[in-house]
Amino acid sequence: MSLLASTLWLLFFFSSSVVHSGAQGSSRGSLGDGICATSVVVHGYKCQELQVTTADGYILSVQRIPEGRSGNGNNNKKQPVIIQHGLLVDGMTWLLNGPEQNLPLILADNGFDVWISNTRGTRFSRRHVSLDPSTPAYWNWSWDELGSYDVPAVVEYVSNHTGQKIHYIGHSQGTLIALTSFSEGKWVNKLKSAALLSPVAYLSHMTTELLNVADRLFLDQLIKTLGIAEFSTRGIPFQSFLNQLCAQPGVDCSDLFTAITGNNCCLNSSAVSVFLKNEPQSTSTKNLIHFAQIVRSGVVAKFNYGIRDQNIRIYGKASPPIYNLSNIPHDLPLFLSYGGRDALSDVVDVQTLLDSLKFHDVDKLSVQFIKDYAHVDFIMGVNAKDIVYNAVISFFNRFN
């Protein structure tokens, strides 16, 4: 079952539920109405809008929440935490619930120096030193580059500005880019620990028939054939795709949100409404194809160009290198939390990931299973503070 398929369904849902106007990066992309102004400062917290340039020229938006609402202490002595969102969303997603329920502000109130990262292509990270997002060259990347350029640039920036090692929190795609980078020893020496929520690595057991149908139709190859570099609801006739897929036997389109992410137990309806108004964000077609490759190959590997000579030119071999997740340093403190109802980070696939970590130092690996949680509960669940976030903070405090 393909994460690409789930991606398509998410975009179908949003395109049929929300009316968009204009291009991303225009009225919705100015720093004046950015994440700090709309979702942090309004609650009485300090927040800084920052920009970080990657080694390959992408200019990323980063928000820093240096202290809690009460202004608790000296920033220089606070422990920095980087929070990395998943696929098709941006840093705003962490902040849709109120201050007592969303992760960044909870961390700030608990004495952490919080940095929210936004990957390339999302609404506030659509700039480049030379490329324009209206050109295919801007979108020539997949999650490989997110792990090789985006997160390392943010980690380096935070490390240089705080002089401290960093805690990392990722959700969904934010866990994949961390795991694959860790397996190659990248930016591990800058970290104190990592918390991975709804961890995504192996993707062969995603559930629901509608995702299965979308995967069987090989829609990623269709989009590639059409020459579409930016995957956005604004550029593709999603309603016609939706009608075609909903007509397939066994597909129930009556509740797409649940069908895509699983039966989330604990969402606030008003937060979901705000979520649907703000998302999805663009990604590259190449990124979606890369996810589909994981599903169809059964392994986590670098992007396969499908042409032997091109793979040899880039990798020095005919097939792309495989990420060996068992190479993740065994002494890197890891916290993993996954749910029993998650349609994207399926329990079977998470168990395969955990098998890759079977030689990890016992005192450095903490695994939490939440029977009733699905994919979105980890970032928007009204009880996530009590069930997940407090556990993450306790884990971090063990290594401060």
Side-chain angles (χ1 to χ4, degrees):
M1 200 79 58
S2 167
L3 190 58
L4 165 67
S6 68
T7 297
L8 290 166
W9 276 100
L10 275 168
L11 292 176
F12 294 146
F13 181 61
F14 291 128
S15 63
S16 60
S17 302
V18 185
V19 177
H20 298 290
S21 62
Q24 278 190 333
S26 55
S27 63
R28 287 176 46 181
S30 66
L31 292 179
D33 62 353
I35 293 175
C36 279
T38 60
S39 303
V40 181
V41 175
V42 293
H43 296 300
Y45 293 76
K46 294 180 180 178
C47 187
Q48 299 169 273
E49 292 280 1
L50 305 168
Q51 294 183 342
V52 175
T53 302
T54 68
D56 59 346
Y58 289 82
I59 302 172
L60 309 180
S61 170
V62 174
Q63 290 73 42
R64 183 186 189 183
I65 308 170
E67 60 186 28
R69 187 155 43 185
S70 62
N72 40 15
N74 185 340
N75 294 345
N76 293 330
K77 295 185 179 180
K78 290 181 179 297
Q79 179 61 53
V81 181
I82 293 173
I83 306 180
Q84 180 61 62
H85 61 78
L87 179 65
L88 294 176
V89 297
D90 65 0
M92 179 80 79
T93 309
W94 296 105
L95 295 154
L96 296 181
N97 284 334
E100 295 78 21
Q101 295 178 337
N102 77 60
L103 179 58
L105 300 188
I106 289 170
L107 287 168
D109 283 334
N110 277 271
F112 290 90
D113 179 8
V114 181
W115 302 70
I116 302 173
S117 174
N118 299 270
T119 59
R120 61 184 68 187
T122 55
R123 73 185 124 179
F124 299 116
S125 296
R126 291 175 67 86
R127 296 176 58 204
H128 190 278
V129 296
S130 61
L131 302 175
D132 189 281
S134 65
T135 64
Y138 176 92
W139 299 97
N140 185 25
W141 51 266
S142 76
W143 54 259
D144 268 337
E145 283 73 25
L146 302 185
S148 297
Y149 295 106
D150 285 29
V151 177
V154 176
V155 168
E156 187 71 20
Y157 185 92
V158 174
S159 177
N160 289 341
H161 279 73
T162 65
Q164 299 185 67
K165 287 194 172 185
I166 301 158
H167 293 300
Y168 176 91
I169 300 175
H171 176 255
S172 192
Q173 177 183 258
T175 69
L176 175 63
I177 59 182
L179 288 164
T180 52
S181 295
F182 296 164
S183 72
E184 294 187 329
K186 296 176 180 176
W187 40 283
V188 172
N189 63 335
K190 302 282 187 181
L191 298 184
K192 278 194 171 182
S193 71
L196 309 178
L197 311 181
S198 294
V200 168
Y202 302 97
L203 301 171
S204 300
H205 294 87
M206 293 184 190
T207 54
T208 77
E209 182 59 25
L210 67 127
L211 299 186
N212 217 351
V213 169
D215 191 42
R216 288 199 301 267
L217 292 178
F218 282 78
L219 294 183
D220 58 313
Q221 298 303 322
L222 172 59
I223 295 167
K224 180 181 178 181
T225 300
L226 293 173
I228 298 170
E230 176 185 2
F231 196 77
S232 167
T233 55
R234 294 161 182 78
I236 304 175
F238 289 103
Q239 191 61 52
S240 61
F241 280 125
L242 177 62
N243 293 337
Q244 179 185 4
L245 291 177
C246 287
Q248 300 296 314
V251 176
D252 180 8
C253 292
S254 61
D255 185 357
L256 293 179
F257 193 79
T258 295
I260 295 161
T261 65
N263 187 16
N264 296 279
C265 68
C266 308
L267 303 184
N268 181 314
S269 59
S270 62
V272 172
S273 177
V274 176
F275 177 82
L276 296 178
K277 290 178 181 178
N278 281 279
E279 313 300 347
Q281 302 298 314
S282 292
T283 190
S284 70
T285 299
K286 184 177 180 179
N287 193 30
L288 301 185
I289 292 172
H290 198 178
F291 274 112
Q293 289 175 357
I294 299 177
V295 180
R296 291 163 188 160
S297 68
V299 297
V300 184
K302 295 184 182 292
F303 187 83
N304 189 341
Y305 289 88
I307 302 172
R308 185 176 184 276
D309 289 347
Q310 191 168 359
N311 281 338
I312 291 175
R313 178 174 61 82
I314 294 172
Y315 304 123
K317 53 192 298 188
S319 58
I322 294 174
Y323 289 102
N324 186 349
L325 300 186
S326 64
N327 286 340
I328 294 173
H330 297 170
D331 60 350
L332 174 65
L334 295 177
F335 176 94
L336 279 72
S337 184
Y338 67 108
R341 297 180 178 179
D342 197 328
L344 304 180
S345 177
D346 185 81
V347 170
V348 176
D349 289 327
V350 175
Q351 290 300 320
T352 303
L353 168 61
L354 292 175
D355 189 58
S356 299
L357 302 174
K358 61 186 176 183
F359 297 117
H360 213 80
D361 291 356
V362 175
D363 61 337
K364 299 293 177 63
L365 179 63
S366 180
V367 179
Q368 179 188 51
F369 173 69
I370 307 169
K371 180 180 178 181
D372 295 331
Y373 259 36
H375 206 67
V376 184
D377 287 314
F378 288 93
I379 51 175
M380 291 170 54
V382 295
N383 59 356
K385 175 183 178 181
D386 295 330
I387 297 177
V388 183
Y389 304 159
N390 286 344
V392 170
I393 290 171
S394 295
F395 182 79
F396 285 170
N397 286 336
R398 286 173 49 193
F399 304 100
N400 279 344

